[in-house]
Amino acid sequence: MYALKLIRDIKKLTLENYDVLEKPIYGDYPGIKAVVFMSRTLSSHAINGGAGDRDLDQTIAIKDGEWIKMEFEAEISGIGAPFKLTKEREDVLSDEDVEAYLNASDTPIGEVVQFFKKYTELIKQFENNIPKIDVFYGKI
């Protein structure tokens, strides 16, 4: 239950500073901007006889005032070629959905670490009253 309060607090802090924090969500692709908290590659396949690559990536971020989970399929047709997004899907998440995702047994620990790292980075960057999290000693 306390985790949900922290998720809501960090969302509020992010939204208060959104204009400063938003960045392109997928590399240098300028079309989509958000504040990314977690991302991972779901799958990767060689294409064009191994000269290119097709990745399916997932990102959890704050965009347009909401938590979102986005999936991108990006393709690079060959060495040195620019990438293009071939598919994009976006789902809105509630604060409770984010908490459930962080607690899910199939969520990689690396993503949980990414969330805590971003949380810590934001509370250090902006003066606020959000509690610090010490995951090693269980103190908040």
Side-chain angles (χ1 to χ4, degrees), residues 89-130:
R89 178 181 165 184
E90 181 178 316
D91 297 313
V92 174
L93 301 175
S94 67
D95 298 332
E96 292 82 2
D97 292 334
V98 174
E99 180 186 31
Y101 184 83
L102 289 168
N103 287 323
S105 62
D106 61 342
T107 300
I109 191 69
E111 279 190 278
V112 176
V113 170
Q114 286 178 45
F115 181 87
F116 284 126
K117 183 177 177 185
K118 186 67 171 186
Y119 180 100
T120 302
E121 173 187 308
L122 291 175
I123 62 172
K124 283 182 181 178
Q125 185 175 357
F126 300 100
E127 294 294 326
N128 58 68
N129 294 324
I130 296 176

mmCIF file of all heavy atoms in Angstrom, residues 89-130:
data_model
loop_
_atom_site.group_PDB
_atom_site.id
_atom_site.type_symbol
_atom_site.label_atom_id
_atom_site.label_comp_id
_atom_site.label_asym_id
_atom_site.label_seq_id
_atom_site.Cartn_x
_atom_site.Cartn_y
_atom_site.Cartn_z
ATOM 1 N N ARG A 89 2.347 0.251 -30.158
ATOM 2 C CA ARG A 89 1.130 0.026 -29.370
ATOM 3 C C ARG A 89 1.293 0.747 -28.037
ATOM 4 O O ARG A 89 2.350 0.699 -27.424
ATOM 5 C CB ARG A 89 0.936 -1.464 -29.122
ATOM 6 C CG ARG A 89 -0.268 -1.761 -28.269
ATOM 7 C CD ARG A 89 -0.415 -3.231 -28.027
ATOM 8 N NE ARG A 89 -1.346 -3.414 -26.922
ATOM 9 C CZ ARG A 89 -1.634 -4.555 -26.413
ATOM 10 N NH1 ARG A 89 -1.076 -5.641 -26.867
ATOM 11 N NH2 ARG A 89 -2.482 -4.635 -25.421
ATOM 12 N N GLU A 90 0.235 1.399 -27.590
ATOM 13 C CA GLU A 90 0.275 2.151 -26.335
ATOM 14 C C GLU A 90 -0.948 1.827 -25.491
ATOM 15 O O GLU A 90 -2.068 1.871 -25.984
ATOM 16 C CB GLU A 90 0.317 3.648 -26.654
ATOM 17 C CG GLU A 90 0.380 4.545 -25.452
ATOM 18 C CD GLU A 90 0.466 6.009 -25.841
ATOM 19 O OE1 GLU A 90 1.231 6.345 -26.762
ATOM 20 O OE2 GLU A 90 -0.249 6.803 -25.205
ATOM 21 N N ASP A 91 -0.712 1.463 -24.221
ATOM 22 C CA ASP A 91 -1.788 1.198 -23.270
ATOM 23 C C ASP A 91 -1.618 2.119 -22.067
ATOM 24 O O ASP A 91 -0.503 2.291 -21.567
ATOM 25 C CB ASP A 91 -1.753 -0.251 -22.779
ATOM 26 C CG ASP A 91 -1.989 -1.256 -23.898
ATOM 27 O OD1 ASP A 91 -2.928 -1.052 -24.682
ATOM 28 O OD2 ASP A 91 -1.220 -2.231 -23.990
ATOM 29 N N VAL A 92 -2.713 2.698 -21.596
ATOM 30 C CA VAL A 92 -2.685 3.538 -20.401
ATOM 31 C C VAL A 92 -2.715 2.617 -19.181
ATOM 32 O O VAL A 92 -3.449 1.632 -19.144
ATOM 33 C CB VAL A 92 -3.891 4.509 -20.379
ATOM 34 C CG1 VAL A 92 -3.944 5.275 -19.068
ATOM 35 C CG2 VAL A 92 -3.811 5.467 -21.555
ATOM 36 N N LEU A 93 -1.874 2.938 -18.189
ATOM 37 C CA LEU A 93 -1.807 2.176 -16.944
ATOM 38 C C LEU A 93 -2.250 3.065 -15.782
ATOM 39 O O LEU A 93 -1.953 4.253 -15.752
ATOM 40 C CB LEU A 93 -0.377 1.704 -16.663
ATOM 41 C CG LEU A 93 0.297 0.819 -17.704
ATOM 42 C CD1 LEU A 93 1.748 0.559 -17.293
ATOM 43 C CD2 LEU A 93 -0.442 -0.486 -17.859
ATOM 44 N N SER A 94 -2.909 2.465 -14.820
ATOM 45 C CA SER A 94 -3.237 3.180 -13.581
ATOM 46 C C SER A 94 -2.031 3.082 -12.642
ATOM 47 O O SER A 94 -1.106 2.288 -12.881
ATOM 48 C CB SER A 94 -4.467 2.555 -12.911
ATOM 49 O OG SER A 94 -4.150 1.247 -12.456
ATOM 50 N N ASP A 95 -2.058 3.849 -11.569
ATOM 51 C CA ASP A 95 -1.005 3.737 -10.557
ATOM 52 C C ASP A 95 -0.969 2.315 -9.992
ATOM 53 O O ASP A 95 0.095 1.753 -9.749
ATOM 54 C CB ASP A 95 -1.240 4.739 -9.429
ATOM 55 C CG ASP A 95 -1.190 6.188 -9.910
ATOM 56 O OD1 ASP A 95 -0.497 6.474 -10.904
ATOM 57 O OD2 ASP A 95 -1.852 7.033 -9.283
ATOM 58 N N GLU A 96 -2.147 1.726 -9.826
ATOM 59 C CA GLU A 96 -2.240 0.353 -9.315
ATOM 60 C C GLU A 96 -1.629 -0.651 -10.300
ATOM 61 O O GLU A 96 -1.007 -1.631 -9.881
ATOM 62 C CB GLU A 96 -3.706 -0.021 -9.032
ATOM 63 C CG GLU A 96 -4.314 0.739 -7.874
ATOM 64 C CD GLU A 96 -4.837 2.147 -8.224
ATOM 65 O OE1 GLU A 96 -4.773 2.553 -9.411
ATOM 66 O OE2 GLU A 96 -5.289 2.835 -7.312
ATOM 67 N N ASP A 97 -1.809 -0.395 -11.600
ATOM 68 C CA ASP A 97 -1.200 -1.271 -12.619
ATOM 69 C C ASP A 97 0.325 -1.225 -12.537
ATOM 70 O O ASP A 97 0.998 -2.244 -12.691
ATOM 71 C CB ASP A 97 -1.631 -0.860 -14.030
ATOM 72 C CG ASP A 97 -3.097 -1.101 -14.320
ATOM 73 O OD1 ASP A 97 -3.702 -1.995 -13.688
ATOM 74 O OD2 ASP A 97 -3.643 -0.387 -15.193
ATOM 75 N N VAL A 98 0.875 -0.034 -12.310
ATOM 76 C CA VAL A 98 2.336 0.107 -12.193
ATOM 77 C C VAL A 98 2.827 -0.657 -10.971
ATOM 78 O O VAL A 98 3.825 -1.382 -11.040
ATOM 79 C CB VAL A 98 2.757 1.590 -12.141
ATOM 80 C CG1 VAL A 98 4.255 1.730 -11.864
ATOM 81 C CG2 VAL A 98 2.387 2.293 -13.447
ATOM 82 N N GLU A 99 2.120 -0.519 -9.851
ATOM 83 C CA GLU A 99 2.496 -1.261 -8.651
ATOM 84 C C GLU A 99 2.438 -2.769 -8.905
ATOM 85 O O GLU A 99 3.363 -3.515 -8.533
ATOM 86 C CB GLU A 99 1.576 -0.902 -7.484
ATOM 87 C CG GLU A 99 1.931 -1.659 -6.214
ATOM 88 C CD GLU A 99 0.949 -1.419 -5.080
ATOM 89 O OE1 GLU A 99 -0.246 -1.190 -5.344
ATOM 90 O OE2 GLU A 99 1.389 -1.463 -3.915
ATOM 91 N N ALA A 100 1.389 -3.229 -9.556
ATOM 92 C CA ALA A 100 1.249 -4.660 -9.850
ATOM 93 C C ALA A 100 2.365 -5.134 -10.772
ATOM 94 O O ALA A 100 2.912 -6.234 -10.590
ATOM 95 C CB ALA A 100 -0.122 -4.938 -10.477
ATOM 96 N N TYR A 101 2.732 -4.305 -11.741
ATOM 97 C CA TYR A 101 3.826 -4.662 -12.664
ATOM 98 C C TYR A 101 5.142 -4.806 -11.905
ATOM 99 O O TYR A 101 5.891 -5.763 -12.108
ATOM 100 C CB TYR A 101 3.949 -3.614 -13.781
ATOM 101 C CG TYR A 101 4.979 -3.985 -14.806
ATOM 102 C CD1 TYR A 101 4.666 -4.858 -15.840
ATOM 103 C CD2 TYR A 101 6.273 -3.488 -14.734
ATOM 104 C CE1 TYR A 101 5.618 -5.226 -16.777
ATOM 105 C CE2 TYR A 101 7.224 -3.853 -15.660
ATOM 106 C CZ TYR A 101 6.891 -4.719 -16.685
ATOM 107 O OH TYR A 101 7.845 -5.080 -17.607
ATOM 108 N N LEU A 102 5.425 -3.863 -11.027
ATOM 109 C CA LEU A 102 6.668 -3.920 -10.248
ATOM 110 C C LEU A 102 6.704 -5.138 -9.321
ATOM 111 O O LEU A 102 7.768 -5.674 -9.046
ATOM 112 C CB LEU A 102 6.850 -2.639 -9.432
ATOM 113 C CG LEU A 102 7.188 -1.383 -10.225
ATOM 114 C CD1 LEU A 102 7.045 -0.145 -9.355
ATOM 115 C CD2 LEU A 102 8.594 -1.478 -10.816
ATOM 116 N N ASN A 103 5.539 -5.570 -8.851
ATOM 117 C CA ASN A 103 5.452 -6.711 -7.942
ATOM 118 C C ASN A 103 5.300 -8.058 -8.645
ATOM 119 O O ASN A 103 5.365 -9.099 -7.986
ATOM 120 C CB ASN A 103 4.278 -6.535 -6.972
ATOM 121 C CG ASN A 103 4.563 -5.487 -5.922
ATOM 122 O OD1 ASN A 103 5.681 -5.356 -5.448
ATOM 123 N ND2 ASN A 103 3.541 -4.730 -5.557
ATOM 124 N N ALA A 104 5.088 -8.051 -9.943
ATOM 125 C CA ALA A 104 4.837 -9.298 -10.678
ATOM 126 C C ALA A 104 6.083 -10.187 -10.701
ATOM 127 O O ALA A 104 7.206 -9.704 -10.829
ATOM 128 C CB ALA A 104 4.393 -8.994 -12.101
ATOM 129 N N SER A 105 5.861 -11.472 -10.575
ATOM 130 C CA SER A 105 6.984 -12.419 -10.539
ATOM 131 C C SER A 105 7.720 -12.496 -11.867
ATOM 132 O O SER A 105 8.902 -12.869 -11.900
ATOM 133 C CB SER A 105 6.496 -13.812 -10.134
ATOM 134 O OG SER A 105 5.572 -14.297 -11.088
ATOM 135 N N ASP A 106 7.071 -12.123 -12.971
ATOM 136 C CA ASP A 106 7.748 -12.194 -14.265
ATOM 137 C C ASP A 106 8.370 -10.853 -14.696
ATOM 138 O O ASP A 106 8.909 -10.741 -15.795
ATOM 139 C CB ASP A 106 6.799 -12.722 -15.348
ATOM 140 C CG ASP A 106 5.570 -11.844 -15.555
ATOM 141 O OD1 ASP A 106 5.250 -11.024 -14.664
ATOM 142 O OD2 ASP A 106 4.926 -11.992 -16.604
ATOM 143 N N THR A 107 8.303 -9.837 -13.844
ATOM 144 C CA THR A 107 8.983 -8.573 -14.138
ATOM 145 C C THR A 107 10.465 -8.744 -13.815
ATOM 146 O O THR A 107 10.809 -9.061 -12.675
ATOM 147 C CB THR A 107 8.398 -7.417 -13.304
ATOM 148 O OG1 THR A 107 7.013 -7.268 -13.619
ATOM 149 C CG2 THR A 107 9.127 -6.109 -13.586
ATOM 150 N N PRO A 108 11.332 -8.540 -14.810
ATOM 151 C CA PRO A 108 12.769 -8.691 -14.549
ATOM 152 C C PRO A 108 13.250 -7.713 -13.468
ATOM 153 O O PRO A 108 12.824 -6.554 -13.432
ATOM 154 C CB PRO A 108 13.422 -8.366 -15.891
ATOM 155 C CG PRO A 108 12.340 -8.555 -16.908
ATOM 156 C CD PRO A 108 11.056 -8.210 -16.205
ATOM 157 N N ILE A 109 14.138 -8.185 -12.620
ATOM 158 C CA ILE A 109 14.665 -7.340 -11.537
ATOM 159 C C ILE A 109 15.341 -6.091 -12.101
ATOM 160 O O ILE A 109 15.309 -5.028 -11.479
ATOM 161 C CB ILE A 109 15.606 -8.140 -10.596
ATOM 162 C CG1 ILE A 109 15.917 -7.328 -9.326
ATOM 163 C CG2 ILE A 109 16.890 -8.529 -11.306
ATOM 164 C CD1 ILE A 109 14.765 -7.152 -8.404
ATOM 165 N N GLY A 110 15.890 -6.208 -13.298
ATOM 166 C CA GLY A 110 16.521 -5.047 -13.932
ATOM 167 C C GLY A 110 15.562 -3.900 -14.166
ATOM 168 O O GLY A 110 15.940 -2.735 -14.051
ATOM 169 N N GLU A 111 14.313 -4.226 -14.470
ATOM 170 C CA GLU A 111 13.323 -3.166 -14.654
ATOM 171 C C GLU A 111 12.950 -2.519 -13.326
ATOM 172 O O GLU A 111 12.746 -1.313 -13.256
ATOM 173 C CB GLU A 111 12.068 -3.714 -15.334
ATOM 174 C CG GLU A 111 12.213 -3.825 -16.831
ATOM 175 C CD GLU A 111 10.895 -4.137 -17.470
ATOM 176 O OE1 GLU A 111 10.522 -5.318 -17.487
ATOM 177 O OE2 GLU A 111 10.236 -3.193 -17.950
ATOM 178 N N VAL A 112 12.850 -3.318 -12.281
ATOM 179 C CA VAL A 112 12.564 -2.770 -10.953
ATOM 180 C C VAL A 112 13.697 -1.820 -10.547
ATOM 181 O O VAL A 112 13.460 -0.725 -10.047
ATOM 182 C CB VAL A 112 12.371 -3.901 -9.920
ATOM 183 C CG1 VAL A 112 12.165 -3.331 -8.526
ATOM 184 C CG2 VAL A 112 11.200 -4.793 -10.317
ATOM 185 N N VAL A 113 14.924 -2.227 -10.813
ATOM 186 C CA VAL A 113 16.091 -1.383 -10.517
ATOM 187 C C VAL A 113 16.023 -0.087 -11.329
ATOM 188 O O VAL A 113 16.309 0.998 -10.808
ATOM 189 C CB VAL A 113 17.405 -2.145 -10.777
ATOM 190 C CG1 VAL A 113 18.610 -1.217 -10.715
ATOM 191 C CG2 VAL A 113 17.553 -3.288 -9.787
ATOM 192 N N GLN A 114 15.629 -0.184 -12.604
ATOM 193 C CA GLN A 114 15.490 1.021 -13.430
ATOM 194 C C GLN A 114 14.491 1.993 -12.809
ATOM 195 O O GLN A 114 14.713 3.208 -12.791
ATOM 196 C CB GLN A 114 15.010 0.665 -14.842
ATOM 197 C CG GLN A 114 16.035 0.031 -15.733
ATOM 198 C CD GLN A 114 15.423 -0.322 -17.080
ATOM 199 O OE1 GLN A 114 14.695 0.467 -17.677
ATOM 200 N NE2 GLN A 114 15.717 -1.529 -17.554
ATOM 201 N N PHE A 115 13.369 1.445 -12.309
ATOM 202 C CA PHE A 115 12.359 2.295 -11.681
ATOM 203 C C PHE A 115 12.927 3.002 -10.459
ATOM 204 O O PHE A 115 12.779 4.213 -10.309
ATOM 205 C CB PHE A 115 11.122 1.479 -11.285
ATOM 206 C CG PHE A 115 10.045 2.323 -10.668
ATOM 207 C CD1 PHE A 115 9.116 2.963 -11.463
ATOM 208 C CD2 PHE A 115 9.971 2.505 -9.290
ATOM 209 C CE1 PHE A 115 8.130 3.772 -10.897
ATOM 210 C CE2 PHE A 115 8.996 3.297 -8.723
ATOM 211 C CZ PHE A 115 8.065 3.934 -9.526
ATOM 212 N N PHE A 116 13.599 2.250 -9.570
ATOM 213 C CA PHE A 116 14.186 2.860 -8.366
ATOM 214 C C PHE A 116 15.265 3.880 -8.722
ATOM 215 O O PHE A 116 15.387 4.919 -8.073
ATOM 216 C CB PHE A 116 14.760 1.793 -7.432
ATOM 217 C CG PHE A 116 13.713 1.043 -6.660
ATOM 218 C CD1 PHE A 116 13.673 -0.337 -6.692
ATOM 219 C CD2 PHE A 116 12.772 1.702 -5.898
ATOM 220 C CE1 PHE A 116 12.705 -1.036 -5.983
ATOM 221 C CE2 PHE A 116 11.797 1.017 -5.180
ATOM 222 C CZ PHE A 116 11.771 -0.362 -5.234
ATOM 223 N N LYS A 117 16.029 3.585 -9.767
ATOM 224 C CA LYS A 117 17.080 4.523 -10.195
ATOM 225 C C LYS A 117 16.454 5.835 -10.675
ATOM 226 O O LYS A 117 16.906 6.915 -10.304
ATOM 227 C CB LYS A 117 17.924 3.883 -11.299
ATOM 228 C CG LYS A 117 19.052 4.739 -11.754
ATOM 229 C CD LYS A 117 19.900 4.035 -12.802
ATOM 230 C CE LYS A 117 20.993 4.956 -13.294
ATOM 231 N NZ LYS A 117 21.765 4.367 -14.379
ATOM 232 N N LYS A 118 15.409 5.738 -11.497
ATOM 233 C CA LYS A 118 14.742 6.941 -11.995
ATOM 234 C C LYS A 118 14.079 7.698 -10.835
ATOM 235 O O LYS A 118 14.156 8.924 -10.757
ATOM 236 C CB LYS A 118 13.701 6.567 -13.054
ATOM 237 C CG LYS A 118 13.065 7.757 -13.730
ATOM 238 C CD LYS A 118 14.089 8.485 -14.566
ATOM 239 C CE LYS A 118 13.459 9.551 -15.434
ATOM 240 N NZ LYS A 118 14.439 10.147 -16.344
ATOM 241 N N TYR A 119 13.445 6.983 -9.926
ATOM 242 C CA TYR A 119 12.821 7.579 -8.741
ATOM 243 C C TYR A 119 13.867 8.394 -7.968
ATOM 244 O O TYR A 119 13.658 9.563 -7.649
ATOM 245 C CB TYR A 119 12.241 6.461 -7.872
ATOM 246 C CG TYR A 119 11.558 6.921 -6.605
ATOM 247 C CD1 TYR A 119 10.179 7.015 -6.540
ATOM 248 C CD2 TYR A 119 12.284 7.233 -5.453
ATOM 249 C CE1 TYR A 119 9.538 7.409 -5.364
ATOM 250 C CE2 TYR A 119 11.655 7.635 -4.288
ATOM 251 C CZ TYR A 119 10.288 7.725 -4.253
ATOM 252 O OH TYR A 119 9.670 8.122 -3.097
ATOM 253 N N THR A 120 15.000 7.758 -7.683
ATOM 254 C CA THR A 120 16.068 8.410 -6.920
ATOM 255 C C THR A 120 16.627 9.616 -7.670
ATOM 256 O O THR A 120 16.864 10.675 -7.080
ATOM 257 C CB THR A 120 17.185 7.403 -6.606
ATOM 258 O OG1 THR A 120 16.613 6.318 -5.877
ATOM 259 C CG2 THR A 120 18.297 8.037 -5.786
ATOM 260 N N GLU A 121 16.819 9.475 -8.970
ATOM 261 C CA GLU A 121 17.326 10.571 -9.802
ATOM 262 C C GLU A 121 16.394 11.781 -9.736
ATOM 263 O O GLU A 121 16.852 12.924 -9.592
ATOM 264 C CB GLU A 121 17.438 10.055 -11.238
ATOM 265 C CG GLU A 121 17.777 11.072 -12.280
ATOM 266 C CD GLU A 121 17.689 10.450 -13.679
ATOM 267 O OE1 GLU A 121 18.312 9.390 -13.907
ATOM 268 O OE2 GLU A 121 16.983 11.026 -14.534
ATOM 269 N N LEU A 122 15.099 11.543 -9.800
ATOM 270 C CA LEU A 122 14.137 12.651 -9.783
ATOM 271 C C LEU A 122 14.059 13.343 -8.430
ATOM 272 O O LEU A 122 13.968 14.570 -8.370
ATOM 273 C CB LEU A 122 12.745 12.151 -10.206
ATOM 274 C CG LEU A 122 12.616 11.736 -11.667
ATOM 275 C CD1 LEU A 122 11.242 11.151 -11.936
ATOM 276 C CD2 LEU A 122 12.909 12.895 -12.594
ATOM 277 N N ILE A 123 14.104 12.570 -7.329
ATOM 278 C CA ILE A 123 14.022 13.245 -6.027
ATOM 279 C C ILE A 123 15.310 13.991 -5.709
ATOM 280 O O ILE A 123 15.289 14.946 -4.946
ATOM 281 C CB ILE A 123 13.608 12.309 -4.876
ATOM 282 C CG1 ILE A 123 14.614 11.195 -4.649
ATOM 283 C CG2 ILE A 123 12.222 11.752 -5.105
ATOM 284 C CD1 ILE A 123 14.336 10.373 -3.392
ATOM 285 N N LYS A 124 16.431 13.566 -6.311
ATOM 286 C CA LYS A 124 17.673 14.330 -6.136
ATOM 287 C C LYS A 124 17.669 15.590 -6.994
ATOM 288 O O LYS A 124 18.202 16.625 -6.599
ATOM 289 C CB LYS A 124 18.883 13.470 -6.519
ATOM 290 C CG LYS A 124 19.251 12.454 -5.479
ATOM 291 C CD LYS A 124 20.485 11.681 -5.906
ATOM 292 C CE LYS A 124 20.862 10.640 -4.874
ATOM 293 N NZ LYS A 124 22.033 9.855 -5.310
ATOM 294 N N GLN A 125 17.067 15.510 -8.182
ATOM 295 C CA GLN A 125 17.073 16.631 -9.123
ATOM 296 C C GLN A 125 16.164 17.773 -8.676
ATOM 297 O O GLN A 125 16.472 18.933 -8.900
ATOM 298 C CB GLN A 125 16.657 16.130 -10.510
ATOM 299 C CG GLN A 125 16.738 17.181 -11.590
ATOM 300 C CD GLN A 125 16.444 16.615 -12.966
ATOM 301 O OE1 GLN A 125 16.230 15.424 -13.141
ATOM 302 N NE2 GLN A 125 16.423 17.478 -13.955
ATOM 303 N N PHE A 126 15.053 17.435 -8.033
ATOM 304 C CA PHE A 126 14.077 18.453 -7.654
ATOM 305 C C PHE A 126 13.869 18.446 -6.148
ATOM 306 O O PHE A 126 13.708 17.399 -5.545
ATOM 307 C CB PHE A 126 12.733 18.187 -8.358
ATOM 308 C CG PHE A 126 12.848 18.202 -9.850
ATOM 309 C CD1 PHE A 126 12.924 17.016 -10.564
ATOM 310 C CD2 PHE A 126 12.907 19.397 -10.540
ATOM 311 C CE1 PHE A 126 13.047 17.021 -11.948
ATOM 312 C CE2 PHE A 126 13.033 19.413 -11.919
ATOM 313 C CZ PHE A 126 13.100 18.229 -12.618
ATOM 314 N N GLU A 127 13.858 19.619 -5.566
ATOM 315 C CA GLU A 127 13.604 19.742 -4.128
ATOM 316 C C GLU A 127 12.157 19.335 -3.864
ATOM 317 O O GLU A 127 11.237 19.840 -4.501
ATOM 318 C CB GLU A 127 13.814 21.188 -3.678
ATOM 319 C CG GLU A 127 15.246 21.664 -3.788
ATOM 320 C CD GLU A 127 16.176 20.941 -2.844
ATOM 321 O OE1 GLU A 127 15.739 20.582 -1.734
ATOM 322 O OE2 GLU A 127 17.334 20.735 -3.211
ATOM 323 N N ASN A 128 11.962 18.420 -2.925
ATOM 324 C CA ASN A 128 10.619 17.937 -2.652
ATOM 325 C C ASN A 128 10.589 17.218 -1.313
ATOM 326 O O ASN A 128 11.613 17.067 -0.661
ATOM 327 C CB ASN A 128 10.161 16.991 -3.772
ATOM 328 C CG ASN A 128 11.119 15.822 -3.908
ATOM 329 O OD1 ASN A 128 11.193 14.997 -3.013
ATOM 330 N ND2 ASN A 128 11.875 15.769 -4.988
ATOM 331 N N ASN A 129 9.429 16.738 -0.952
ATOM 332 C CA ASN A 129 9.256 16.027 0.320
ATOM 333 C C ASN A 129 8.986 14.541 0.116
ATOM 334 O O ASN A 129 8.475 13.883 1.016
ATOM 335 C CB ASN A 129 8.104 16.647 1.113
ATOM 336 C CG ASN A 129 8.421 18.058 1.538
ATOM 337 O OD1 ASN A 129 9.569 18.365 1.869
ATOM 338 N ND2 ASN A 129 7.436 18.925 1.521
ATOM 339 N N ILE A 130 9.312 14.022 -1.045
ATOM 340 C CA ILE A 130 9.087 12.596 -1.307
ATOM 341 C C ILE A 130 10.163 11.795 -0.571
ATOM 342 O O ILE A 130 11.345 12.112 -0.636
ATOM 343 C CB ILE A 130 9.135 12.308 -2.819
ATOM 344 C CG1 ILE A 130 7.992 13.042 -3.522
ATOM 345 C CG2 ILE A 130 9.039 10.805 -3.090
ATOM 346 C CD1 ILE A 130 8.005 12.899 -5.018
#
